[in-house]
Amino acid sequence: MTATPAAPTPLPPLGETARARLRTALASERLFFEPGDCLPYAYDNSRRVAIPQAVALPVGEDEVVALVRACRELRLPLTVRGRGTNTTGATVPIAGGVVVSLERMNRILAISPGDRMIECEAGTTNGDVQRAAAAHGLFWAPDPTSAEYSSVGGNLACGAGGPRAVKYGTARENVLGLTFVTGTGQVVRSGCHTTKGVVGYDLTRLLVGSEGTLGLITRATLKLLPRPAEIRTLRAAYSDVAGAIAAVTRVMGQPAAPCALEFFDGDAVALAQAWRDCGIPPGTGALLLIDVDGDGAGLDADADAISRAASGTGLIELRRAASRAESEDLWAARKALSPSLRKLAPRKINEDVVVPVTRLPELVAGLGALSHEHGLRIVSFGHAGNGNLHVNLLADPADPAQVAAIETCLHAVFRLVLRLDGTLSGEHGVGLDKRDFVDWEIPAPALALMHQLKGVFDPDGILNPGKTLPVSRPR
């Protein structure tokens, strides 16, 4: 659950012995110890704050290795960080110690269009990867809202997805290999440069989503895909949520695959329209935003098939964007939804739960019942084609009843998702916010294996301590 930001309280400064040891790993001009210098690395998009005792900005893998080894000797916690776009507190250094930011390790090392792969350092932004790939008619599948400024290492550490994951998959499905540094300072290279490879255990995908608790990803070999020649954007307006969700199951139940299928409930529709007038018809109680990609007659056939599937009870209007500019307007409104929610209530909890697509109607109906039961506004939107909704619980801090209800309601949402064979996070990760709920979803034997793996990769427990795995016994 997202915490209200607290005033940052620095831990005691590191002693001169520890500082001197860190300076043997990294040049002094790229090490920071003063609280004011460390503050920019004390928080992420979760709004939590914890000031580290030091910040390190390595420029190469050898410096990362030296830094990890120094921290291991000193028993200093080490939290790796990309660009701080994470929403679950995964990069907030709650145990103090050192934050290592890979922002200066941002080189694209190789690109091979014939092999449809690109290799880059972990601090390279998603946007820079996309531009390099686009020069060869290719793209990398993950497209989170933060794509322009989030880093590849961060995308991989949290298992980022985005709208087009419905067709092309998330970060986990689009990485070929990694180089990472374990908690002992050992460099490990996993995976390969080919799209086929089954030699050994799959350490690459084990690291994806591990949030810096098993190793520091320093470089990645990414799978690229051919850019579609054209995209058609469809907008389907419905009188109510039930009609829109029923359309999602129809669209996903036929052969033509959308490359994005986004859902807006009634409140989300109103916010999108208020942010930018997109000509949404009056009486719209829910909306689907659908992208279909391809070329030639095949694209038109797919768009027609998806349009037919989207038609049904409750449909008010189904239209195709008349231009790329109109399509970009619709997507801009979608991306503005999350920050716009604070206009409805000063406090919001945003959860990225996922259920099987065919169980979306039960999820949406259950959320409506919980909203009524707890007296809280719940606004939902997101990647319905994957069954992945961003469920936002909204509360007014000035209303004691709402403040008292929000945690109980959140727990009920999680129980509902798990009853529907779902998962508590599709792309935001676990971090701190969901850590204490992981044992609601994962059985004790599997959790025990995960703790053992943590011990193998990070025997001294210095890597991002207190994140991802629960510290309590399973409930």
Side-chain angles (χ1 to χ4, degrees):
M1 184 170 65
T2 303
T4 301
T9 304
L11 292 170
L14 294 178
E16 189 51 44
T17 300
R19 294 186 183 204
R21 178 65 183 92
L22 291 174
R23 290 189 186 105
T24 67
L26 217 64
S28 295
E29 65 268 19
R30 287 183 281 106
L31 276 172
F32 304 94
F33 299 104
E34 294 303 315
D37 295 327
C38 295
L39 180 59
Y41 299 89
Y43 57 89
D44 60 17
N45 202 31
S46 69
R47 295 161 58 87
R48 294 176 183 267
V49 180
I51 298 179
Q53 292 159 294
V55 170
L57 304 178
V59 294
E61 194 173 274
D62 56 339
E63 292 187 339
V64 175
V65 169
L67 186 65
V68 171
R69 290 176 178 173
C71 287
R72 188 186 187 199
E73 287 177 23
L74 297 165
R75 295 297 189 268
L76 275 178
L78 184 62
T79 302
V80 66
R81 173 188 176 95
R83 299 301 177 99
T85 60
N86 178 263
T87 63
T88 65
T91 59
V92 177
I94 56 171
V98 180
V99 164
V100 54
S101 172
L102 301 183
E103 63 195 75
R104 299 190 184 185
M105 293 176 61
N106 58 4
R107 296 176 301 158
I108 291 176
L109 303 170
I111 184 166
S112 177
D115 295 312
R116 292 187 177 175
M117 74 90 173
I118 188 169
E119 187 173 12
C120 65
E121 291 182 308
T124 310
T125 65
N126 184 305
D128 283 344
V129 166
Q130 303 297 0
R131 281 183 284 275
H136 301 278
L138 303 168
F139 73 98
W140 190 43
D143 63 331
T145 301
S146 60
E148 188 54 44
Y149 43 89
S150 62
S151 69
V152 167
N155 289 171
L156 292 167
C158 294
R164 64 184 174 215
V166 67
K167 183 173 183 178
Y168 296 112
T170 66
R172 181 169 273 123
E173 291 79 47
N174 290 280
V175 58
L176 300 174
L178 296 175
T179 301
F180 58 92
V181 181
T182 69
T184 64
Q186 181 179 24
V187 177
V188 177
R189 291 179 175 82
S190 66
C192 49
H193 286 74
T194 60
T195 54
K196 285 185 175 180
V198 294
V199 177
Y201 296 135
D202 194 346
L203 298 181
T204 299
R205 282 157 191 80
L206 179 61
L207 263 287
V208 176
S210 65
E211 300 183 325
T213 61
L214 300 179
L216 285 69
I217 297 170
T218 55
R219 64 174 65 189
T221 305
L222 308 175
K223 181 174 73 173
L224 300 180
L225 299 167
R227 287 176 66 88
E230 297 180 76
I231 295 177
R232 303 271 193 273
T233 299
L234 312 176
R235 188 186 73 190
Y238 300 85
S239 58
D240 55 34
V241 165
I245 290 296
V248 171
T249 61
R250 292 195 302 271
V251 169
M252 297 308 299
Q254 50 82 54
C259 70
L261 174 50
E262 297 289 294
F263 164 77
F264 302 56
D265 72 6
D267 284 327
V269 168
L271 281 172
Q273 182 68 3
W275 186 80
R276 180 175 296 176
D277 184 359
C278 298
I280 296 171
T284 298
L287 191 78
L288 297 182
L289 184 60
I290 308 169
D291 271 357
V292 189
D293 64 3
D295 58 75
L299 172 58
D300 290 330
D302 284 352
D304 289 343
I306 289 170
S307 295
R308 288 192 297 272
S311 301
T313 303
L315 182 68
I316 295 173
E317 178 188 70
L318 177 61
R319 59 173 293 179
R320 300 188 185 188
S323 65
R324 191 62 196 160
E326 184 179 345
S327 173
E328 289 170 355
D329 261 2
L330 290 169
W331 279 104
R334 160 64 182 90
K335 291 179 178 181
L337 279 178
S338 189
S340 297
L341 283 169
R342 297 200 186 276
K343 296 178 181 178
L344 298 182
R347 185 180 180 194
K348 76 180 179 85
I349 294 176
N350 177 14
E351 299 298 342
D352 68 318
V353 299
V354 194
V355 299
V357 171
T358 56
R359 307 203 73 171
L360 274 173
E362 295 169 81
L363 174 63
V364 171
L367 292 173
L370 291 175
S371 174
H372 178 75
E373 177 185 348
H374 295 279
L376 293 173
R377 198 169 189 175
I378 299 179
V379 178
S380 299
F381 59 88
H383 318 311
N386 296 113
N388 179 195
L389 292 189
H390 297 295
V391 176
N392 296 268
L393 279 62
L394 307 181
D396 181 354
D399 185 333
Q402 290 189 17
V403 172
I406 197 163
E407 187 169 357
T408 303
C409 184
L410 176 67
H411 291 186
V413 169
F414 285 167
R415 294 292 191 193
L416 169 65
V417 168
L418 295 175
R419 283 199 305 274
L420 297 176
D421 298 321
T423 182
L424 300 183
S425 181
E427 58 186 6
H428 290 174
V430 173
L432 284 169
D433 286 355
K434 294 191 180 77
R435 179 195 64 189
D436 296 334
F437 302 100
V438 168
D439 57 21
W440 291 19
E441 177 175 339
I442 298 179
L447 272 178
L449 281 175
M450 292 178 188
H451 280 289
Q452 290 172 38
L453 284 168
K454 168 70 170 170
V456 170
F457 282 81
D458 180 27
D460 300 292
I462 65 169
L463 298 185
N464 208 3
K467 313 289 179 56
T468 304
L469 295 181
V471 294
S472 61
R473 294 178 63 84
R475 284 171 274 184

